[in-house]
Amino acid sequence: METPIYILGIESSCDDTSASVICNAQILSNVVANQEVHAKYGGVVPELASRAHQQNIVPVVQQALTQANIGKEQLAAIAFTKGPGLMGSLLVGTSFAKSLALGLNIPLLDVNHMQAHILAHFIKSDDNKMPPFPFICLTISGGHTQIVKVTNYFEMEVLGETIDDAVGEAFDKSAKILGLPYPGGPLIDKYAQLGNPKAYPFTKPKVGDLDFSFSGLKTGILYFIQKQQRINPNFIKENLNDICASIQFTIVEILMDKLKNAVKKTNIKHIAIAGGVSANSEIRKRLQLAEKHLGWTTYIPKFEYTTDNAAMIAISGYLKYLNKDYSDVSVTAKARLKVTE
């Protein structure tokens, strides 16, 4: 029987405060407090986010320990998100993690948020198949779009990334153009299920084989909608499902094209996805089809580990703890941090 190693993970990079307890790669609790305050502003307001983190962090950590059925004195270490993210939000989690680790006299583990999205694939559960090394991971979220070659837990190489906007932003901004509430990405996914993906062809951006660009696509969608509304003021209302399906189809096509290029280039056929946008139903469906038609083996995380959550911070912390890769108390939060740092 292996000795139980309990690690508390804390995630506060954007607008969700989350805490999770892991025991030897198995999640015992994963508590997330969402912030409703941003919806009325149509996006995350950094100052309001950090204030909400301050209110949420103590109850969220307490709830995570209670659900895991352990006392804080049983913790072996504390892992927290060092970056990237909103500076004010990161500072709340960093300061709290440092104070708690000092108070309990246990090691501190700083975690790269982008690496953690990828390492969420190594959370142990009954139905979870873990990717073998090396594998390719498509990391897609509100702030990031990257193709990463993963050689081992902490050796990663960016093969391609967005030169402007992230894919999550492309979904949310398109939703905003259509007058849908924030966050609009999941709503585009919902309406797209009922529409015709080939109704309106949008132009795919021309960039390098493995790089992404979404700003031109967003502009193209905006001009298209404005033009149609001049002809018919009710255009969006009458064609919402088809518009959403066409937008989603184009975005997912771009992602799949780049993945195919990455497979060609590296000859690696183990493909994982990570990040908030990996909850999108179309990208999941297309990856499953790629298994059938392209001979890939695909790894799709559980829904609760796709958006920002502390379980992914906890598993990353656990892997670092096994490596004795502890942080110094002088560690500082970093708003900008590459996946390879």
Side-chain angles (χ1 to χ4, degrees):
M1 189 60 187
E2 57 181 339
T3 320
I5 298 169
Y6 296 105
I7 288 170
L8 171 70
I10 293 170
E11 153 61 17
S12 71
S13 67
C14 189
D15 61 333
D16 290 340
T17 315
S18 182
S20 170
V21 175
I22 196 168
C23 178
N24 304 356
Q26 281 191 307
I27 297 296
L28 303 181
S29 63
N30 187 31
V31 179
V32 183
N34 303 105
Q35 299 179 5
E36 303 300 330
V37 64
H38 306 284
K40 61 179 176 194
Y41 297 101
V44 176
V45 183
E47 176 59 32
L48 295 177
S50 45
R51 269 188 233 166
H53 282 302
Q54 287 173 336
Q55 289 164 341
N56 292 340
I57 197 155
V58 174
V60 163
V61 167
Q62 184 56 54
Q63 209 180 329
L65 290 167
T66 307
Q67 273 184 24
N69 203 14
I70 66 159
K72 57 185 184 299
E73 55 290 332
Q74 288 172 267
L75 293 170
I78 292 172
F80 70 96
T81 303
K82 170 185 173 175
L86 300 173
M87 197 58 184
S89 297
L90 289 166
L91 283 171
V92 177
T94 306
S95 313
F96 184 86
K98 280 185 185 181
S99 319
L100 193 54
L102 275 170
L104 295 170
N105 197 20
I106 55 177
L108 188 65
L109 305 155
D110 70 80
V111 171
N112 180 318
H113 180 87
M114 295 315 296
Q115 286 182 3
H117 270 302
I118 296 170
L119 295 176
H121 283 279
F122 297 98
I123 292 170
K124 255 193 208 159
S125 67
D126 300 337
D127 53 353
N128 184 24
K129 55 171 188 170
M130 297 179 190
F133 298 117
F135 66 93
I136 283 172
C137 189
L138 174 68
T139 312
I140 38 180
S141 67
H144 298 269
T145 308
Q146 291 178 331
I147 296 177
V148 182
K149 180 185 169 191
V150 186
T151 307
N152 62 42
Y153 294 131
F154 296 106
E155 194 186 325
M156 300 181 187
E157 180 196 346
V158 177
L159 301 178
E161 60 191 328
T162 178
I163 57 171
D164 44 52
D165 303 332
V167 62
E169 203 184 333
F171 271 114
D172 286 340
K173 290 274 167 64
S174 301
K176 203 171 182 174
I177 294 166
L178 300 176
L180 299 173
Y182 175 87
L187 292 171
I188 286 191
D189 191 3
K190 182 181 145 188
Y191 296 123
Q193 320 273 335
L194 310 164
N196 168 13
K198 304 276 176 73
Y200 307 108
F202 294 109
T203 311
K204 288 195 270 187
K206 304 261 186 292
V207 280
D209 282 354
L210 299 175
D211 286 326
F212 300 89
S213 166
F214 290 103
S215 70
L217 178 67
K218 287 191 319 195
T219 310
I221 291 166
L222 176 66
Y223 289 165
F224 168 76
I225 295 294
Q226 286 174 339
K227 185 181 164 190
Q228 296 299 326
Q229 281 186 305
R230 282 197 292 272
I231 303 164
N232 170 12
N234 293 325
F235 176 73
I236 295 177
K237 206 166 138 191
E238 289 168 11
N239 302 283
L240 185 62
N241 296 342
D242 284 353
I243 302 166
C244 288
S246 302
I247 291 172
Q248 179 154 292
F249 176 78
T250 309
I251 292 175
V252 173
E253 273 285 283
I254 294 168
L255 297 175
M256 290 304 293
D257 286 350
K258 303 296 179 177
L259 268 181
K260 286 173 192 166
N261 291 345
V263 170
K264 234 180 253 163
K265 196 175 169 180
T266 60
N267 217 9
I268 296 169
K269 290 194 171 181
H270 291 282
I271 309 294
I273 51 168
V277 181
S278 62
N280 179 280
S281 68
E282 182 67 16
I283 183 90
R284 287 172 171 248
K285 193 170 85 190
R286 292 292 294 278
L287 278 174
Q288 280 154 349
L289 284 173
E291 288 208 308
K292 223 186 285 180
H293 302 300
L294 302 171
W296 297 1
T297 311
T298 58
Y299 304 85
I300 300 172
K302 284 185 170 176
F303 271 116
E304 63 261 38
Y305 303 142
T306 53
T307 50
D308 293 349
N309 66 89
M312 65 183 200
I313 305 302
I315 184 69
S316 307
Y318 173 68
L319 295 167
K320 283 190 125 179
Y321 180 83
L322 296 181
N323 258 359
K324 295 196 166 39
D325 185 3
Y326 307 147
S327 315
D328 194 78
V329 166
S330 63
V331 65
T332 50
K334 277 189 154 179
R336 291 184 179 279
L337 196 62
K338 292 190 170 79
V339 71
T340 47
E341 287 183 82

